[in-house]
Amino acid sequence: MISSRINVEEGAVVTNPIVLSIQVGKPKSLGTSDEATSPMDRMWTSAIIKEKVEGPIWLGETNLEGDEQADLEHHGGPEKAVLAYASAHYPFWQGQLGLPDIPFGGFGENLTVAGLTEADVCIGDTYEMGEVIVQVSQPRRPCWKLARRWKIKDLTLRVQNTGCTGWYLRVLKTGYIKDGDTLKLIERPYPEWTVERCNQLIHGNHKTKLEEVKELANCTLLSQSWRDTLFEIIAKGEKPDTQNRVIGPNE
């Protein structure tokens, strides 16, 4: 996992978690044709392309003002009101993918955060941020739309396997937030369950770690969708098929 201490600009090291950038987006139809030879060029709809916003912006119980989701079955809602992503990962991906100009928001996140990574954030962590209070609900399970966004077929799988996934927040208190707001940790009920550890557990070998799977499944502040997946793992003794989520349609 990449260090949470990062150089934001020319040697300026960030040690206190802050919001560097805020992005929102609405569903757009993308691609060229349903008949395109390459699946990467076929028509699809998503709000994964986020644009930076300036000044204070209202954060409600289910999303930021001006932000929407195309697939409400798998995205959005109170448990996934806001997606946060570590700015520390951007130099890594820019180098790995040969795309030096990927901007903040390039991984579909609403909040690009400095000073935190998946190794530093735990399920149930509660933060004051501007006027709001937010709580970590689950690691992100990236979907195929991220790969389609950058036309890199295995990008979603690579994000999942590196653990550089980001994490979702539920909103406990609504209000305005803005760039530069600090994230003040006010409660940490599950210090043992970092987002990094959750990712390793759900994407690793569950047959040898079923006791840990059971322990995480009983974490009441973990989102219900993640808990349902864990209960499925317990019942079947194996991880669920991720083909549809990671690879997507028409592949």
Side-chain angles (χ1 to χ4, degrees):
M1 184 61 65
I2 302 167
S3 169
S4 62
R5 290 175 60 88
I6 64 164
N7 292 329
V8 180
E9 293 180 357
E10 309 215 3
V13 177
V14 173
T15 55
N16 296 319
I18 64 169
V19 177
L20 285 184
S21 184
I22 301 174
Q23 294 81 217
V24 299
K26 294 188 177 183
K28 298 178 181 178
S29 293
L30 305 162
T32 58
S33 168
D34 288 337
E35 306 302 322
T37 301
S38 170
M40 291 292 169
D41 294 326
R42 293 175 191 160
M43 296 295 294
W44 59 295
T45 302
S46 178
I48 196 170
I49 298 178
K50 307 291 186 183
E51 301 292 337
K52 179 176 172 58
V53 295
E54 304 288 349
I57 184 170
W58 179 261
L59 176 57
E61 292 182 353
T62 58
N63 61 353
L64 283 161
E65 183 178 5
D67 195 52
E68 297 179 5
Q69 295 79 34
D71 178 4
L72 293 177
E73 180 181 355
H74 298 103
H75 302 105
E79 296 291 277
K80 301 178 186 177
V82 184
L83 176 61
Y85 199 69
S87 63
H89 298 333
Y90 272 88
F92 171 76
W93 288 121
Q94 288 165 344
Q96 286 286 308
L97 304 178
L99 296 172
D101 297 324
I102 295 179
F104 290 156
F107 286 80
E109 78 273 16
N110 301 113
L111 306 181
T112 311
V113 178
L116 292 174
T117 72
E118 292 79 1
D120 308 306
V121 176
C122 303
I123 301 302
D125 276 5
T126 304
Y127 295 92
E128 287 184 345
M129 180 177 62
E131 297 180 352
V132 311
I133 297 177
V134 294
Q135 185 178 73
V136 178
S137 59
Q138 67 166 76
R140 178 198 200 178
R141 283 186 284 185
C143 78
W144 59 270
K145 292 182 178 182
L146 180 58
R148 192 74 64 90
R149 162 74 172 87
W150 294 106
K151 295 189 177 183
I152 300 173
K153 184 176 180 179
D154 67 344
L155 179 56
T156 300
L157 186 61
R158 290 165 71 176
V159 168
Q160 174 179 289
N161 290 346
T162 59
C164 301
T165 59
W167 56 93
Y168 279 105
L169 302 167
R170 59 173 67 93
V171 180
L172 304 185
K173 178 186 175 185
T174 61
Y176 285 94
I177 60 172
K178 63 182 185 306
D179 291 359
D181 282 345
T182 60
L183 288 88
K184 178 184 177 183
L185 182 65
I186 58 177
E187 187 175 10
R188 173 164 284 174
Y190 295 104
E192 69 276 20
W193 284 115
T194 64
V195 170
E196 179 182 59
R197 185 184 175 198
C198 294
N199 279 332
Q200 291 170 347
L201 185 63
I202 201 167
H203 302 306
N205 186 345
H206 309 295
K207 290 184 178 180
T208 60
K209 296 183 178 180
L210 279 179
E211 290 306 312
E212 289 184 55
V213 172
K214 292 176 183 177
E215 181 184 345
L216 181 56
N218 289 316
C219 177
T220 58
L221 294 182
L222 183 67
S223 70
Q224 190 60 51
S225 64
W226 255 71
R227 296 181 74 193
D228 289 344
T229 298
L230 294 169
F231 287 129
E232 180 181 349
I233 291 170
I234 293 166
K236 295 182 178 180
E238 60 184 16
K239 62 183 179 181
D241 185 3
T242 61
Q243 177 79 7
N244 288 340
R245 173 175 59 81
V246 174
I247 302 299
N250 303 321
E251 292 290 343

